[in-house]
């Protein structure tokens, strides 16, 4: 494919990808399957969504995200809190045609709301929180995610390490982590990741890097480089989504819908 598909053109490919993946898949699995199935050229696949933010979210990832939202809003797929997406009708081995106009209208309404709260929250984190307040937020965030003994040690000449804690897996296995939280709007480079890994040496084999900005593609590769301790990454977009998930400074208001069952009264 020599040009990027629109979000509407991605609807059926996403459903088909989920069928091939056995009915469910992570965002990364779905995106990779769609890009491969549609034979999207490499130079198009890495086109950034926001010009000048190379290494951040790509345009195809952005459109795929909204295509998933469109499908979920219309009952074709569902998602779990762990980021796994699945077909609602898992018995359906062939994907039916989709009513595009109906889905289009639903998605446009949701997009305006979604982009508004995300942008507003990211702006608050970057512009209004002091570095100390941001570190306290990350401390609370990690505790809410199940970490224990979370301590903030920032600005102590500790080579970029802002804090430490203990993470548990299924309440049984535990391991020590150190984290860095970088509050700014720009890109985190591969150099930042290497410096952080250097500070980890001799202290732990597990690191977590959180930023309100975004990671360059080279930074992502460096964080997962073979033969080196893995560093997990949380960028600004993922951070605000997690804050929403945990209801930390984000309130979800549900609108009550009332309908009258006239037949019920007829049966009295």
């Amino acid at each position: 494919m020599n040009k990027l598909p629109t979000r509407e053109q991605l609807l059926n490919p996403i459903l088909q990808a989920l069928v091939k993946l056995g009915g469910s898949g992570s965002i990364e699995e779905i995106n990779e399957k769609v890009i491969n199935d549609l034979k999207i050229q490499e130079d198009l696949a890495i086109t950034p969504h926001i010009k000048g933010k190379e290494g951040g979210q790509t345009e195809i990832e952005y459109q795929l995200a909204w295509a998933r939202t469109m499908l979920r809003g219309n009952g074709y797929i569902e998602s779990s809190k762990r980021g796994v997406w699945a077909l609602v009708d898992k018995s359906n081995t062939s994907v039916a045609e989709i009513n595009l106009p109906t889905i289009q209208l639903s998605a446009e309404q949701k997009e305006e709301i979604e982009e508004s709260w995300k942008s507003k929250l990211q702006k608050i984190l970057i512009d209004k929180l002091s570095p100390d307040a941001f570190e306290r937020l990350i401390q609370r965030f990690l505790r809410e995610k199940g970490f224990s003994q979370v301590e903030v040690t920032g600005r102590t000449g500790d080579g970029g390490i802002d804090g430490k804690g203990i993470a548990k897996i299924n309440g049984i296995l535990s391991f020590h982590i150190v984290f860095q939280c970088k509050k700014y709007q720009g890109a985190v480079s591969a150099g930042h990741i290497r410096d952080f890994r250097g500070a980890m040496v001799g202290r732990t084999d597990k690191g977590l890097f959180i930023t309100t900005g975004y990671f360059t593609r080279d930074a992502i590769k460096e964080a997962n480089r073979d033969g080196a301790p893995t560093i997990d990454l949380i960028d600004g977009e993922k951070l605000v989504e997690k804050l929403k998930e945990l209801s930390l400074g984000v309130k979800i208001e549900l609108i009550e819908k009332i309908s009258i069952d006239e037949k019920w009264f007829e049966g009295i």
Side-chain angles (χ1 to χ4, degrees):
M1 180 173 286
N2 56 12
K3 68 177 182 177
L4 286 175
T6 64
R7 64 187 63 171
E8 290 78 16
Q9 293 171 331
L10 291 169
L11 298 175
N12 278 313
I14 288 175
L15 294 177
Q16 292 159 5
L18 282 169
V19 169
K20 294 176 182 177
L21 289 168
S24 66
S26 66
I27 291 174
E28 291 77 11
E29 289 174 323
I30 296 169
N31 289 357
E32 183 179 2
K33 179 67 70 176
V34 171
I35 290 171
N36 289 337
D37 287 351
L38 295 181
K39 295 181 172 57
I40 296 175
Q41 297 175 3
E42 175 68 15
D43 59 333
L44 291 175
I46 63 174
T47 301
H49 171 56
I50 299 177
K51 189 175 181 180
K53 288 186 67 172
E54 286 75 7
Q57 187 181 41
T58 64
E59 180 62 22
I60 188 64
E61 289 171 342
Y62 178 81
Q63 298 302 338
L64 280 164
W66 279 114
R68 289 193 303 273
T69 298
M70 294 161 77
L71 290 167
R72 179 177 59 187
N74 286 266
Y76 288 92
I77 61 177
E78 58 190 2
S79 61
S80 71
K81 288 185 177 180
R82 293 183 178 275
V84 175
W85 294 74
L87 294 168
V88 170
D89 183 4
K90 296 179 177 61
S91 64
N92 188 12
T93 56
S94 63
V95 179
E97 288 298 317
I98 296 172
N99 187 338
L100 289 179
T102 301
I103 291 184
Q104 240 176 339
L105 177 61
S106 173
E108 292 303 321
Q109 292 172 335
K110 290 177 182 178
E111 179 171 0
E112 183 177 352
I113 296 172
E114 187 81 8
E115 287 297 290
S116 175
W117 78 262
K118 282 187 177 181
S119 299
K120 182 177 180 180
L121 181 50
Q122 282 186 289
K123 185 173 178 62
I124 289 173
L125 297 180
I126 295 170
D127 296 341
K128 294 190 176 182
L129 285 190
S130 68
D132 287 342
F134 183 62
E135 288 178 351
R136 290 194 298 272
L137 172 65
I138 298 305
Q139 184 180 42
R140 171 71 182 276
F141 164 69
L142 292 175
R143 283 172 173 155
E144 295 284 353
K145 293 298 290 183
F147 287 68
S148 62
Q149 299 182 35
V150 183
E151 298 179 23
V152 173
T153 60
R155 291 180 302 285
T156 60
D158 215 1
I161 292 178
D162 294 320
K164 59 185 179 180
I166 298 176
K168 284 194 174 183
I169 301 177
N170 297 326
I172 301 175
L173 300 176
S174 63
F175 52 88
H176 291 264
I177 67 139
V178 294
F179 62 87
Q180 180 174 159
C181 38
K182 203 169 188 66
K183 187 187 81 74
Y184 72 173
Q185 196 167 359
V188 174
S189 68
H192 289 119
I193 301 298
R194 283 192 291 270
D195 290 344
F196 180 50
R197 182 178 281 120
M200 290 167 49
V201 174
R203 299 190 54 166
T204 180
D205 288 329
K206 195 69 175 175
L208 176 62
F209 202 121
I210 305 172
T211 181
T212 52
Y214 63 96
F215 297 98
T216 65
R217 188 165 297 275
D218 286 341
I220 295 171
K221 289 180 180 178
E222 177 61 32
N224 295 281
R225 178 165 56 84
D226 289 342
T230 299
I231 296 175
D232 290 316
L233 307 177
I234 298 179
D235 62 13
E237 184 170 355
K238 184 180 291 185
L239 178 59
V240 297
E241 288 174 353
K242 293 298 181 182
L243 293 177
K244 172 177 174 284
E245 177 186 309
L246 296 168
S247 298
L248 292 178
V250 182
K251 294 180 180 179
I252 303 174
E253 298 177 358
L254 302 178
I255 300 175
E256 183 180 41
K257 182 179 180 181
I258 300 175
S259 60
I260 307 298
D261 186 353
E262 296 184 27
K263 291 185 177 181
W264 185 89
F265 289 98
E266 293 172 1
I268 294 178

